[in-house]
């Protein structure tokens, strides 16, 4: 397969699938990380003397409109994103108001070297998510080289992310620089990890993380479990977790994971204690408790100091670290300490030579909030895609270009 950096885009019109699915409200982008992450790919094509047609989805328009009839497709427009991109690239960016009509095709065909066109939200078309081959073929006409740089959407077998690739011959379908970087970082952790390899898994629900934990049992030496999901493990072992979050239908499975880990010699670290609160609110009364005995009426909203100390020690001794999911409700100041502790430990391990990969929306938001993004080895732009990669699944967006 051709590598992106060796391909000269001079005279080519590159059709680039990016993931510009960024948080946006009333046209205001609150985090442009994913847009910035695609800039090196776009810039290289322009510097070579090529032109660029960018396509992305934004949100889930049809599903959201079905839930909230006051919304319309216009609420999901990529226009503000095209305008923001224009500022970042310091050049004019054209915008096609309909990704699938003749006007878009004409605008693409008229692009000159160095020019950029952004297409309107691909998901205005239901064909996109259906992976419709006809729609994919229509999109394919917009460029003569296909570049997939949308790691964040690589787990979707949609028209623009996967199905489209078969319309381009080998050598004319490539991964962009972001995709290459993401895959390299993820591969290093999953297939080339130096030991000890610690996976830090947090978040609210065990059910979302079963597959990743099972797959990591084959690779990691240590698995740290924090966040709301930890209480299901404690309750499964007969502890009183008060009013903490729990998935009662997963108790059996939690015990199975613990015994599988034991059989494989993987150390599972559960938090010994919690910061507890009398309600789920920023102004709740707080206290601390050991996790085998949380009083009724109280819920754990962050890991406690004992857990912080113990987890930090494990992290600091690691050579490879994967972090997915926060330790507590870090969005509220009083429940951010545990997540911050982990961020500090990951940063310290990294400065001592460990390779650390942070991914999944909330843990990325946390490292950004605490200012640790440049103190870890790699911050992924993937949420669901990164999770599925570490579950051991083949990502359709990657497979399609490789085939
Ligand atoms: C994401 O942010 O998860 C990706 O952009 C994919 O979006 P989706 O989950 O709506 O398919
Ligand atoms: Mg998603």
């Amino acid at each position: 397969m051709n590598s992106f950096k060796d391909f000269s885009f001079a005279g080519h019109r590159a059709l680039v699938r990016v993931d510009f699915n960024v948080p946006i409200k009333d046209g205001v982008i609150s985090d442009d990380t994913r847009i910035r992450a695609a800039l090196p790919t776009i810039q290289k094509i322009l510097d070579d003397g090529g032109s660029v047609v960018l396509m992305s989805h934004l949100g889930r328009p049809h599903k959201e409109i079905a839930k909230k009839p006051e919304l319309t497709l216009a609420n999901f427009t990529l226009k503000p994103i095209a305008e923001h991109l224009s500022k970042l690239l310091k050049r004019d960016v054209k915008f096609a108001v309909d990704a699938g009509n003749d006007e878009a095709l004409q605008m693409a065909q008229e692009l000159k070297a160095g020019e950029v066109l952004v297409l309107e939200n691909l998901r205005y078309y239901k064909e996109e998510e259906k992976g419709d081959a006809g729609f994919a073929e229509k999109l394919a006409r917009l460029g003569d080289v296909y570049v997939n740089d949308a790691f964040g959407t690589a787990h979707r077998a949609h028209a623009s992310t996967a199905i489209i690739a078969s319309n381009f011959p080998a050598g004319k379908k490539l991964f962009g620089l972001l995709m290459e970087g993401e895959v390299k970082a993820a591969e290093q952790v999953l297939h080339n990890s130096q030991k000890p390899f610690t996976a830090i898994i947090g978040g609210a629900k065990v059910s979302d993380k079963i597959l990743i934990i099972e797959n990591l049992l084959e690779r990691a030496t240590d698995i740290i479990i924090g966040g709301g999901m930890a209480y299901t493990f404690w309750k499964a072992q007969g502890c009183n977790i008060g009013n903490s979050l729990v998935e009662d239908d997963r108790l059996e499975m939690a015990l199975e994971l613990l015994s599988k880990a034991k059989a494989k010699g993987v150390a599972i670290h559960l938090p010994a204690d919690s910061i507890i609160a009398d309600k789920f609110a920023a102004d709740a009364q707080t206290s601390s408790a050991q996790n085998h005995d949380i009083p009724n009426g109280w819920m754990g909203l962050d890991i406690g100091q004992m857990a912080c100390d113990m987890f930090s020690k494990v992290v600091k001794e690691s050579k490879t670290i994967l972090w997915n999911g926060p330790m507590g409700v870090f969005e509220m100041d009083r429940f951010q300490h545990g997540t911050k502790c982990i961020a500090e430990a990951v940063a310290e391990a990294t400065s001592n030579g460990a390779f650390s990969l942070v991914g999944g929306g909330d843990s990325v938001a946390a490292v950004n909030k605490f200012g640790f993004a440049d103190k870890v080895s790699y911050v992924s732009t993937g949420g669901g895609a990164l999770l599925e990669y570490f579950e051991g699944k083949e990502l359709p967006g990657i497979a399609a270009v490789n085939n």
Side-chain angles (χ1 to χ4, degrees):
M1 211 192 96
N2 267 335
S3 96
F4 180 84
K5 77 176 191 330
D6 297 331
F7 191 97
S8 171
F9 287 89
H12 287 288
R13 178 159 28 94
L15 176 61
V16 187
R17 179 46 156 110
V18 285
D19 188 342
F20 285 172
N21 185 28
V22 294
I24 183 168
K25 202 164 184 267
D26 302 325
V28 182
I29 300 164
S30 55
D31 179 357
D32 68 352
T33 306
R34 283 180 165 179
I35 305 173
R36 289 177 185 274
L39 293 177
T41 294
I42 299 167
Q43 199 64 55
K44 141 86 177 159
I45 299 168
L46 298 175
D47 290 348
D48 276 4
S51 57
V52 181
V53 179
L54 293 166
M55 53 179 179
S56 176
H57 71 289
L58 177 63
R60 297 173 176 172
H62 293 288
K63 285 178 199 128
E64 290 299 316
I65 291 168
K67 274 193 269 171
K68 292 189 197 152
E70 69 273 21
L71 295 176
T72 65
L73 288 179
N75 293 98
F76 299 87
T77 179
L78 270 153
K79 187 111 207 283
I81 292 171
E83 283 161 7
H84 186 65
L85 178 69
S86 166
K87 285 186 205 132
L88 294 175
L89 286 171
K90 299 190 183 67
R91 68 174 78 203
D92 206 38
V93 165
K94 298 176 197 297
F95 186 71
V97 296
D98 182 332
N101 69 2
D102 290 342
E103 195 189 322
L105 181 60
Q106 193 180 342
M107 286 176 88
Q109 285 167 343
E110 285 170 1
L111 285 179
K112 297 185 203 67
E115 289 188 332
V116 180
L117 170 67
V118 173
L119 304 180
E120 183 54 284
N121 193 344
L122 296 171
R123 288 191 185 170
Y124 282 13
Y125 284 87
K126 289 185 174 159
E127 290 87 342
E128 164 65 1
E129 285 173 87
K130 287 186 183 139
D132 182 82
F135 182 58
E137 204 244 305
K138 199 179 225 179
L139 291 174
R141 286 180 221 153
L142 300 173
D144 61 275
V145 188
Y146 172 68
V147 177
N148 190 347
D149 213 20
F151 179 73
T153 326
H155 57 319
R156 306 288 183 220
H158 294 170
S160 68
T161 61
I163 312 306
I164 193 170
S166 64
N167 293 286
F168 294 86
K172 289 280 182 66
K173 41 187 165 188
L174 308 162
F175 295 124
L177 295 170
L178 174 63
M179 185 72 109
E180 281 180 0
E182 292 271 5
V183 171
K184 192 167 163 238
E187 274 182 354
Q188 172 152 354
V189 171
L190 199 62
H191 301 297
N192 270 323
S193 59
Q194 273 197 59
K195 307 291 185 295
F197 166 16
T198 298
I200 307 158
I201 308 292
K205 288 159 123 196
V206 197
S207 49
D208 291 342
K209 304 288 164 91
I210 298 165
L211 294 175
I212 189 171
I213 294 175
E214 286 199 322
N215 199 38
L216 289 169
L217 287 177
E218 309 295 329
R219 319 261 174 192
T221 52
D222 296 81
I223 299 179
I224 286 174
I225 292 181
M229 61 188 276
Y231 300 103
T232 297
F233 285 90
W234 284 115
K235 184 165 180 187
Q237 298 176 89
C239 301
N240 181 14
I241 57 163
N243 292 36
S244 305
L245 208 62
V246 66
E247 286 174 278
D248 280 313
D249 56 341
R250 301 290 172 171
L251 299 176
E252 200 62 35
M253 198 216 59
L255 289 180
E256 268 167 38
L257 282 176
L258 292 177
S259 69
K260 272 189 201 166
K262 203 168 177 196
K264 290 187 184 299
V266 177
I268 299 240
H269 305 276
L270 291 171
D273 58 342
S274 289
I275 302 300
I276 55 173
D278 63 350
K279 57 180 176 182
F280 186 88
D283 64 350
Q285 269 201 67
T286 62
S287 182
S288 59
Q290 300 212 12
N291 281 343
H292 59 78
D293 199 12
I294 297 178
N296 290 337
W298 292 76
M299 62 186 85
L301 293 185
D302 192 10
I303 58 172
Q305 192 57 49
M306 276 158 51
C308 282
D309 293 344
M310 192 195 145
F311 288 180
S312 296
K313 185 168 179 285
V314 174
V315 170
K316 286 177 192 170
E317 284 166 2
S318 305
K319 287 269 170 283
T320 304
I321 300 158
L322 171 68
W323 182 12
N324 175 279
M327 296 293 104
V329 189
F330 73 94
E331 299 87 344
M332 298 180 194
D333 286 355
R334 289 152 92 186
F335 311 113
Q336 67 171 20
H337 180 67
T339 304
K340 205 171 171 182
C341 255
I342 291 293
E344 277 162 4
V346 175
E348 191 179 318
T350 310
S351 74
N352 290 329
F355 184 82
S356 54
L357 169 58
V358 184
D362 284 349
S363 28
V364 173
V367 292
N368 284 331
K369 176 172 176 176
F370 304 135
F372 285 96
D374 57 356
K375 296 187 174 73
V376 300
S377 309
Y378 197 87
V379 179
S380 177
T381 57
L386 191 82
L387 197 62
E388 290 197 21
Y389 179 90
F390 281 100
E391 288 173 352
K393 291 187 186 142
E394 181 181 71
L395 303 184
I398 293 177
V401 170
N402 280 332
N403 289 338

